[in-house]
Amino acid sequence: MLNRLHDALRLRTSPTIFFGSALVIIAFVVLTLVFTESMDAFFAEGSTWVIDQLGWFYIMGVTVFLLFLVYLMVSRFGQVRLGADDERPEHTNLSWFSMLFAAGIGTILMFWAVAEPVNHFANPPRQGVEPASLESATEAMGFTLYHFGLHTWTIFTLPALAFGYFMYKRNLPPRVSSMFQPLLGERIHGPVGRAIDILAIVGTLFGVAVSIGLGTMQINSGLARLLGISESALSQILIIAAVSLVASVSVALGLDRGIKRLSNTNILIAIGLLVFILISGPTVMMLKGMVESAGTYLSMLPALAFWNDTLADTGWQSGWTVFYWAWTITWSPFVGIFIARISRGRTIRQFVSGVLALPTLFSVIWFGIFGMGVFDIELNGGGGLVEAVVDEGDIPGAMFVFLENFPFSTVTSAVGVLIVVLFFITSIDSAALVMDTMGSGHEEEAPVHQRVFWVVAIGLIAAILLTATGATGLAALQNVAILIGLPFFVLGYVMIYSLLRALREDAGEVGVLPTRQWRRVLPPEEFQRRTSTGEVDEEVVVAPDYVHGSEPDNAPSIEHPEQPHYVLEYRTNTGSLKRVRDVE
């Protein structure tokens, strides 16, 4: 039945994964609208339990992931290339950085650039620090950079590296299940693999929807100040609808014509705003503070990486760090597969160092300049940020209250709204492109209406979370993110084991660095479709398999799997080998 519906709708994807994910989305929308209070209670109580019982697991998990990535970078595996051994990167460093940054945390940098430093300045996270003091300002920068530095990008880098390796070294489908091929073998196409992919798609959709929800609140706040538009549910729905429409056009244009151009444009505008704030503000103080903040971050990092607020138990960490890590990891599959797609041809060492270091460096500059601007206003100027953002709780409007203290505030506020909108669009369209790829299991262009479906789904979930729940917008977003993030942390540890095992199998336990060459794998439904149209290559397989004789010396032996009957039939018809298994 699913296959007939798939064909009737002229889709090109996995019916089980596509319709399974769609069913979960529809169920959430219906249950939220019909049983609003029950759904609110479920997510609120679930997130509270996770915070109380497993907050430490989230904190430890990200640090373990970071240490593993550093190990890979400095080990002999750092020379392994994500692709053929002689392949080189497709994109320039500038375009690569722009795309990974815009798809990563561009939206939340605008949202928290002012809001986070001023919150920690007024309410210091650690006991014994006087609020609104020089010490609280220093610690505020350390905590802010902890939240947007190496640890955040670690959450993206681990799945991105795993995707890149299994997609471009082992030539497996661009799905989360492919990362478990060393454990599951050909069962990545079975019920377990499909369940993993549905979980990844749904979790990614909710994670991106949380980010879009935050961006919508900020856009609404900016437009309220610029045009007098009310900050209401109707306004937020209209904003999501308008931006989703533009994102649909971008996703229809594809990666190079749509997302790449938007990303490059947006990062240039954001840098322009940053330079304006630097020049028109206390320039010397900002530059000195930026450098000093980097030192504060590095000095606090070892302790913060394992800090759980155990003795004081103030509850601060649950509303900040645990929320950040849980939220970020829910959309890490989307960012991961997107980063992998634009990083083909780079070595593991280049990949890890670039994805960790470049965005972290930009975060140091970004938050250093905006953070020092916040402290200058509060300590040396007229103040007002603490009152507006902390006392009145106007977190979405923090950036615009900040810009009112600089020249041409109306213009800069309009530019700020534009930046958030563009980050909003690039996040939606790149997420839609990636989720469609995870559903179909191949990177060839899918029907436009199939890709647009994911844009609509993201916008719909974001609108539901913001406007159709009994909780306030931000609280609803936090509760959903914290609860959904749990299974992704568990998958992260399995991902580490799977990636390390694959590297050891392909590069060999001893010596470097030729790697085992893998045949290209297609999902069964795509293989059969291409066979019927004569598009399939005889080297393509369904059960993951490598080319006999390509393994390096000292590489452990791996069993060649039997291919399904339709692969054997195709090989018989074309005169090639009936079996993948070689006769010893």
Side-chain angles (χ1 to χ4, degrees):
M1 183 179 74
L2 290 181
N3 288 328
R4 289 197 298 270
L5 180 59
H6 170 277
D7 295 340
L9 294 175
R10 297 183 180 180
L11 303 176
R12 186 179 174 183
T13 185
S14 165
T16 303
I17 295 175
F18 182 87
F19 291 117
S21 302
L23 181 62
V24 174
I25 295 167
I26 294 171
F28 173 82
V29 171
V30 172
L31 289 173
T32 302
L33 293 176
V34 177
F35 304 103
T36 303
E37 293 184 2
S38 298
M39 290 293 286
D40 283 345
F42 171 77
F43 282 106
E45 292 173 7
S47 63
T48 299
W49 183 87
V50 169
I51 289 169
D52 292 341
Q53 304 299 323
L54 295 174
W56 62 270
F57 180 69
Y58 285 39
I59 302 299
M60 180 187 70
V62 183
T63 298
V64 170
F65 299 165
L66 175 58
L67 294 176
F68 171 72
L69 290 171
V70 172
Y71 159 72
L72 284 187
M73 182 179 67
V74 301
S75 72
R76 65 192 183 93
F77 296 125
Q79 302 174 64
V80 174
R81 197 170 290 277
L82 303 179
D85 291 342
D86 59 350
E87 196 166 353
R88 292 297 178 269
E90 177 183 1
H91 301 285
T92 65
N93 288 336
L94 179 60
S95 291
W96 180 58
F97 170 68
S98 298
M99 286 190 289
L100 72 89
F101 191 80
I105 58 173
T107 302
I108 58 178
L109 282 190
M110 287 295 294
F111 191 88
W112 295 110
V114 173
E116 177 141 0
V118 75
N119 264 283
H120 302 338
F121 174 71
N123 297 310
R126 296 199 286 198
Q127 297 293 295
V129 178
E130 182 182 353
S133 64
L134 297 180
E135 184 182 4
S136 70
T138 299
E139 284 210 351
M141 292 308 302
F143 273 94
T144 299
L145 292 175
Y146 169 52
H147 288 153
F148 295 98
L150 291 172
H151 278 67
T152 283
W153 284 94
T154 289
I155 297 174
F156 296 141
T157 306
L158 177 60
L161 178 59
F163 271 124
Y165 190 86
F166 287 104
M167 285 168 55
Y168 301 127
K169 177 60 72 176
R170 288 204 165 183
N171 279 316
L172 297 177
R175 287 174 171 166
V176 173
S177 58
S178 294
M179 294 187 279
F180 301 91
Q181 182 268 333
L183 299 173
L184 298 177
E186 62 267 27
R187 286 178 296 166
I188 60 174
H189 296 318
V192 176
R194 293 190 182 99
I196 291 173
D197 292 322
I198 291 174
L199 171 65
I201 290 174
V202 172
T204 298
L205 190 147
F206 275 90
V208 175
V210 170
S211 182
I212 297 309
L214 293 176
T216 300
M217 293 168 67
Q218 189 172 30
I219 293 171
N220 196 179
S221 179
L223 292 178
R225 285 171 168 78
L226 289 171
L227 305 176
I229 295 175
S230 64
E231 296 186 60
S232 63
L234 177 61
S235 297
Q236 293 171 355
I237 290 174
L238 292 175
I239 290 169
I240 291 175
V243 178
S244 297
L245 179 62
V246 178
S248 297
V249 176
S250 177
V251 79
L253 292 174
L255 179 63
D256 288 327
R257 288 187 297 166
I259 299 171
K260 185 175 181 178
R261 291 178 182 175
L262 279 175
S263 299
N264 289 339
T265 301
N266 204 25
I267 199 68
L268 291 175
I269 297 175
I271 291 174
L273 177 63
L274 185 71
V275 171
F276 173 80
I277 296 298
L278 176 63
I279 294 175
S280 60
T283 305
V284 175
M285 176 188 175
M286 288 178 171
L287 292 175
K288 290 169 61 178
M290 179 183 66
V291 175
E292 188 174 304
S293 297
T296 299
Y297 168 54
L298 292 176
S299 66
M300 293 176 64
L301 183 60
L304 292 182
F306 297 95
W307 182 63
N308 275 286
D309 195 22
T310 306
L311 298 179
D313 195 21
T314 62
W316 176 92
Q317 197 175 48
S318 62
W320 289 93
T321 310
V322 174
F323 161 63
Y324 276 149
W325 294 171
W327 165 35
T328 305
I329 205 167
T330 56
W331 52 311
S332 64
F334 135 59
V335 179
I337 198 171
F338 183 80
I339 293 175
R341 290 189 64 182
I342 63 177
S343 303
R344 181 170 184 166
R346 298 182 187 272
T347 65
I348 288 178
R349 184 167 296 125
Q350 292 171 337
F351 179 87
V352 173
S353 60
V355 179
L356 286 180
L358 290 177
T360 298
L361 177 61
F362 188 86
S363 293
V364 168
I365 297 171
W366 181 270
F367 283 102
I369 291 175
F370 278 98
M372 289 302 120
V374 166
F375 303 143
D376 179 66
I377 293 170
E378 288 298 317
L379 297 173
N380 304 321
L385 287 173
V386 170
E387 179 182 357
V389 179
V390 181
D391 298 340
E392 298 176 8
D394 188 14
I395 292 179
M399 174 63 74
F400 305 107
V401 177
F402 173 82
L403 292 175
E404 290 173 359
N405 293 273
F406 291 82
F408 312 111
S409 59
T410 301
V411 175
T412 55
S413 294
V415 171
V417 171
L418 176 63
I419 293 172
V420 177
V421 169
L422 290 178
F423 275 135
F424 195 154
I425 294 170
T426 53
S427 293
I428 291 182
D429 57 14
S430 53
L433 194 65
V434 165
M435 286 189 291
D436 183 67
T437 299
M438 287 195 289
S440 62
H442 58 85
E443 295 186 89
E444 281 75 9
E445 190 169 288
V448 172
H449 65 282
Q450 181 177 302
R451 285 178 282 162
V452 170
F453 166 80
W454 297 110
V455 174
V456 175
I458 293 170
L460 179 62
I461 295 297
I464 291 291
L465 290 176
L466 275 179
T467 64
T469 60
T472 61
L474 188 57
L477 298 176
Q478 288 178 324
N479 291 336
V480 170
I482 290 171
L483 189 58
I484 291 180
L486 181 58
F488 285 88
F489 270 99
V490 176
L491 291 179
Y493 285 97
V494 182
M495 202 180 301
I496 287 176
Y497 171 80
S498 186
L499 180 58
L500 195 56
R501 176 172 167 177
L503 283 164
R504 287 174 172 168
E505 287 176 351
D506 292 348
E509 295 289 342
V510 181
V512 291
L513 208 182
T515 56
R516 192 190 315 269
Q517 302 302 303
W518 288 72
R519 301 181 188 275
R520 187 179 182 195
V521 179
L522 283 177
E525 60 274 5
E526 183 66 16
F527 182 94
Q528 291 177 305
R529 190 199 68 79
R530 295 192 187 192
T531 300
S532 65
T533 59
E535 301 174 33
V536 73
D537 188 288
E538 66 180 29
E539 291 301 315
V540 171
V541 293
V542 172
D545 189 41
Y546 66 94
V547 179
H548 178 70
S550 67
E551 62 272 23
D553 294 338
N554 304 311
S557 176
I558 303 177
E559 188 75 8
H560 286 274
E562 293 285 353
Q563 296 294 331
H565 66 89
Y566 44 83
V567 178
L568 302 182
E569 180 181 350
Y570 175 77
R571 290 177 178 276
T572 301
N573 294 338
T574 58
S576 56
L577 294 177
K578 295 182 180 181
R579 298 159 61 97
V580 172
R581 187 189 306 278
D582 294 278
V583 179
E584 300 295 336

